[in-house]
Amino acid sequence: MDGSGGGGGRALDCRSFWKAGAYEGPTAPTREFQDALEAGDFDRARVHPKFLHTNATSHKWAFGAIAELLDNAVDERSNGATFIKVDKSINLKDNSSMLVFQDDGGGMDPEGVRRCMSLGFSTKKSKTTIGQYGNGFKTSTMRLGADAIVFTRAIRGSNVTLSIGLLSYTFLRKTMKDDIVVPMLDFKIQDGDIVPLVYGSQGDWDSSLKIVLDWSPFSSKEELLQQFQDVGSHGTKVVVYNLWMNDDGLLELDFEDDDEDILLRDQGSASGGFTKSQKEIVKQHISHRLRFSLRAYTSILYLRKFDNFQIILRGKPVEQLFITDELKFKKVVTYKPQAAHDSHVALVKIDVGFAKEAPILGIFGMNVYHKDRLIMPFWKVLQEGSSRGRSVVGVLEANFIEPAHDKQDFERTPLFIRLEARLRQIIIDFWKDRCHLIGYQPIDPQLRSQYKATLKDSGGPGTQVHHKASSARRTGGLSSNLLPETYDDITVGLANNGSHLQSSGQAQENNMESEGLDEDLVEIGSSGVLDPNFIEKLSEENIALFSRREELRQRDTQLKQTIGDLEHELEETKKKCGQLAAQLKAWKNQQHLP
């Protein structure tokens, strides 16, 4: 059970993140570390406590803060990182939950860890690295909990160093600090032994050790050094504790409902005008689950497939999901941003298609990535109440615009505004050309008459839909977070003149200019209406597939339980056999006695 304390009962009186910044501190620092500050502050990076909290409010969403820490590990791939583990741990001082991040990257030397725990410093200027502001560690850890401790081990040439840094908002608040330091401890490997590495005075080092032991979840130097055992020869472990709570006094992060996931409380209810059966389907869709399921969110967090790298969430690797693979009737559109004349901006490829649940669910939006990282998932560039663009989903990587500091939005620059207008038009054009492929009446009058004639000759749209229910049952082909694909890409033949519209998963290049966009040219009128027979048939098929999947899930759970029971029964039987064998042996020995 999660306690409200931390660090041996040392926790803030207010454990709600959005209220924790309201306090009054002294106007001048106490004398506790004045001598150390005057002697030199290399052992501690200066941080103002109020700014520490204010800075973290840039993260409105807790998962956005977690993504920042994942980015750091993903960037470490260039230094050999092969995994980032995200898991729950227990603070032994008060039995409260802690959030742990661990990677096997290059680690940080003493100078590097000080840069990490200082404010506004970054060495990441590469065109491929995700992090760039040098502020992500501070904002993300402080958004998730009041305190964080870092363990990092690095090899630089022949030198092997181990460093520990404590970023404790609780310590700063409880001791009423104004201008304070972040305790740092360094060690080195010398003749096979771990020995302290002192940059200032031994008194400074001892003072830092005392603060770390008093205000962290660890009670001795030996416990601190034990944290390096699973780090390996190089890597970093970040432990966030005194996790923030909601207004009901429960942890904002839910570790209990799913032992293979981390959930956000109060984020799982499906909204919108859905029927009861549709709500059940919506709850399983990635566009909904990413709001509250860390596993769902991280499955689409990076655009490209990892090469020799894994995100391991609570002991189980996250299976990457690629949204473009989940679309039907796909099309590729290219867009050239109108950047400055002296800049070299490449053409941007935009994948657009219908969600495979179309037209049952009106899931839509553009998924915009920046340097491989998802910034805006299912961004609704069209108004939600409009029938235009229903079920249209797109994916693009927009490296020509800059993300906001929390990496959940983009800076509202002219480039971004022009992109938004272009995406709006791309969706409208795609909808206009292909909405009939998911059961809507065509918008073009000539196409509409041909379509009606085709439906009349073929007996309705339902006869041309080939669902994949049987193949899904044969292969068990369920995506990790999306529903089974229900419909094949289909070819709708048009009567009269024998022309046809062909839909396919193949990329179709369509170079389009970014000027002359006029949404008023597109008139929907009453044509954006679904054929009642078509929608009813598709609804029945989707609900049947959903029910079938739930049956398979329940059967899988039952089988796992049966296997567990049998394994337990086998172990008990083995124990009894061992006991009987021992008794038999003892009896035989007694029989041979004179």
Side-chain angles (χ1 to χ4, degrees):
M1 182 174 180
D2 294 318
S4 61
R10 297 193 176 191
L12 297 175
D13 295 331
C14 176
R15 291 287 298 279
S16 171
F17 172 73
W18 297 108
K19 299 175 183 178
Y23 80 100
E24 294 296 328
T27 58
T30 62
R31 295 291 303 174
E32 185 176 0
F33 289 104
Q34 283 299 100
D35 294 339
L37 289 172
E38 292 170 2
D41 60 359
F42 186 69
D43 283 288
R44 304 179 180 92
R46 286 172 171 252
V47 174
H48 189 286
K50 276 194 173 183
F51 183 69
L52 196 60
H53 179 271
T54 303
N55 196 37
T57 60
S58 63
H59 282 295
K60 302 295 186 289
W61 191 40
F63 282 177
I66 292 176
E68 286 268 14
L69 296 172
L70 297 180
D71 290 344
N72 289 337
V74 170
D75 285 342
E76 280 293 298
R77 289 178 297 174
S78 61
N79 292 321
T82 61
F83 67 80
I84 169 71
K85 295 179 180 178
V86 185
D87 212 334
K88 169 192 172 182
S89 184
I90 298 297
N91 184 342
L92 296 180
K93 285 186 176 180
D94 62 10
N95 203 37
S96 63
S97 294
M98 305 188 295
L99 184 61
V100 181
F101 301 83
Q102 182 181 329
D103 67 59
D104 63 342
M108 293 176 282
D109 59 17
E111 182 182 356
V113 75
R114 282 159 176 77
R115 287 199 300 263
C116 168
M117 305 190 82
S118 300
L119 286 168
F121 186 93
S122 177
T123 58
K124 296 181 182 179
K125 298 300 182 183
S126 168
K127 293 182 179 180
T128 58
T129 54
I130 301 166
Q132 57 180 309
Y133 295 110
N135 202 24
F137 172 79
K138 282 76 65 176
T139 59
S140 55
T141 53
M142 293 297 99
R143 174 60 185 86
L144 298 169
D147 309 290
I149 186 168
V150 179
F151 302 87
T152 184
R153 177 170 176 148
I155 303 174
R156 301 294 186 264
S158 59
N159 297 320
V160 180
T161 58
L162 297 79
S163 297
I164 301 171
L166 178 69
L167 191 63
S168 175
Y169 187 58
T170 303
F171 163 64
L172 300 175
R173 282 283 306 273
K174 285 287 190 177
T175 55
M176 298 297 287
K177 303 302 180 187
D178 185 359
D179 182 16
I180 195 57
V181 292
V182 176
M184 301 278 187
L185 297 171
D186 299 296
F187 302 86
K188 64 180 179 180
I189 304 296
Q190 183 174 305
D191 299 328
D193 297 323
I194 300 176
V195 297
L197 183 58
V198 180
Y199 288 101
S201 68
Q202 186 63 46
D204 293 342
W205 199 94
D206 293 340
S207 296
S208 294
L209 176 61
K210 184 178 187 306
I211 296 173
V212 171
L213 296 181
D214 285 347
W215 296 92
S216 79
F218 310 102
S219 302
S220 67
K221 185 175 75 172
E222 289 70 29
E223 279 188 46
L224 291 173
L225 293 177
Q226 283 176 6
Q227 300 305 307
F228 289 99
Q229 290 183 358
D230 59 351
V231 171
S233 59
H234 52 81
T236 301
K237 178 193 288 187
V238 178
V239 181
V240 184
Y241 58 103
N242 280 332
L243 300 174
W244 297 117
M245 295 181 170
N246 63 14
D247 291 339
D248 296 327
L250 301 173
L251 289 181
E252 186 179 17
L253 299 176
D254 179 2
F255 298 97
E256 308 305 324
D257 283 356
D258 189 336
D259 58 7
E260 292 183 348
D261 203 351
I262 298 175
L263 307 177
L264 275 181
R265 298 189 193 274
D266 308 322
Q267 297 291 320
S269 58
S271 59
F274 298 112
T275 64
K276 183 177 180 180
S277 59
Q278 286 175 335
K279 281 184 179 180
E280 291 302 315
I281 301 174
V282 169
K283 287 180 180 179
Q284 301 303 320
H285 195 273
I286 189 70
S287 63
H288 175 71
R289 287 188 56 79
L290 68 84
R291 303 177 194 171
F292 64 91
S293 164
L294 184 60
R295 183 169 294 277
Y297 177 53
T298 52
S299 72
I300 62 171
L301 187 58
Y302 299 100
L303 180 61
R304 282 173 276 278
K305 183 177 178 62
F306 288 142
D307 182 19
N308 194 33
F309 185 85
Q310 285 185 319
I311 298 173
I312 303 173
L313 178 58
R314 304 198 72 178
K316 181 180 178 181
V318 172
E319 181 180 349
Q320 285 186 276
L321 186 67
F322 305 102
I323 298 172
T324 52
D325 295 339
E326 306 296 328
L327 304 179
K328 58 184 180 181
F329 312 125
K330 287 181 288 189
K331 178 179 181 180
V332 177
V333 179
T334 55
Y335 168 64
K336 183 171 179 58
Q338 293 182 339
H341 295 296
D342 58 345
S343 62
H344 301 282
V345 179
L347 289 174
V348 177
K349 185 187 78 167
I350 304 172
D351 291 285
V352 61
F354 288 113
K356 64 185 180 184
E357 293 81 6
I360 305 301
L361 303 179
I363 298 160
F364 67 99
M366 302 300 294
N367 295 272
V368 189
Y369 289 77
H370 180 269
K371 294 184 179 179
D372 194 43
R373 158 79 133 80
L374 180 63
I375 305 297
M376 299 178 71
F378 293 92
W379 173 31
K380 295 174 173 54
V381 295
L382 293 179
Q383 291 184 356
E384 197 158 0
S386 173
S387 63
R388 296 183 297 177
R390 179 181 171 87
S391 302
V392 178
V393 175
V395 179
L396 70 147
E397 186 176 29
N399 293 339
F400 59 93
I401 50 179
E402 291 299 321
H405 280 267
D406 65 351
K407 295 179 187 169
Q408 298 300 312
D409 200 350
F410 286 96
E411 300 291 345
R412 300 286 162 167
T413 62
L415 271 176
F416 177 83
I417 294 171
R418 284 196 291 268
L419 173 65
E420 183 177 17
R422 191 69 185 108
L423 293 177
R424 188 180 297 119
Q425 190 64 45
I426 288 171
I427 292 173
I428 290 171
D429 290 343
F430 182 85
W431 171 262
K432 180 180 178 181
D433 293 341
R434 305 194 179 196
C435 67
H436 60 282
L437 299 178
I438 61 170
Y440 284 87
Q441 294 182 26
I443 294 172
D444 181 82
Q446 183 179 357
L447 187 61
R448 191 186 311 156
S449 61
Q450 294 173 351
Y451 181 68
K452 287 180 178 180
T454 301
L455 295 183
K456 183 178 180 181
D457 294 341
S458 64
T463 61
Q464 298 193 41
V465 177
H466 307 287
H467 64 79
K468 291 186 177 179
S470 59
S471 62
R473 292 190 190 103
R474 289 196 305 270
T475 63
L478 298 180
S479 299
S480 58
N481 291 303
L482 284 173
L483 293 174
E485 184 166 344
T486 311
Y487 315 107
D488 283 315
D489 287 356
I490 59 175
T491 300
V492 180
L494 295 178
N496 299 332
N497 60 6
S499 63
H500 67 277
L501 291 176
Q502 192 176 46
S503 66
S504 70
Q506 299 176 347
Q508 301 177 20
E509 291 295 330
N510 181 21
N511 295 317
M512 307 172 76
E513 297 299 325
S514 60
E515 294 183 339
L517 306 181
D518 188 357
E519 294 181 34
D520 295 334
L521 296 177
V522 182
E523 297 179 1
I524 300 298
S526 61
S527 59
V529 179
L530 279 170
D531 183 285
N533 296 326
F534 188 48
I535 188 71
E536 183 178 355
K537 181 177 177 63
L538 295 185
S539 296
E540 291 174 356
E541 291 174 346
N542 247 3
I543 293 170
L545 283 171
F546 179 79
S547 300
R548 173 63 176 165
R549 184 183 63 180
E550 290 304 308
E551 291 174 6
L552 290 173
R553 280 184 174 178
Q554 292 176 7
R555 179 171 173 76
D556 183 62
T557 302
Q558 292 171 356
L559 288 173
K560 287 181 179 178
Q561 181 64 42
T562 301
I563 292 172
D565 293 342
L566 290 173
E567 288 177 343
H568 179 72
E569 186 176 337
L570 178 61
E571 289 299 320
E572 292 296 321
T573 303
K574 286 181 179 178
K575 289 180 181 179
K576 290 180 180 178
C577 288
Q579 292 171 355
L580 290 173
Q583 292 175 3
L584 179 62
K585 185 177 180 180
W587 180 79
K588 287 182 177 179
N589 290 337
Q590 290 176 357
Q591 295 299 317
H592 287 87
L593 291 175

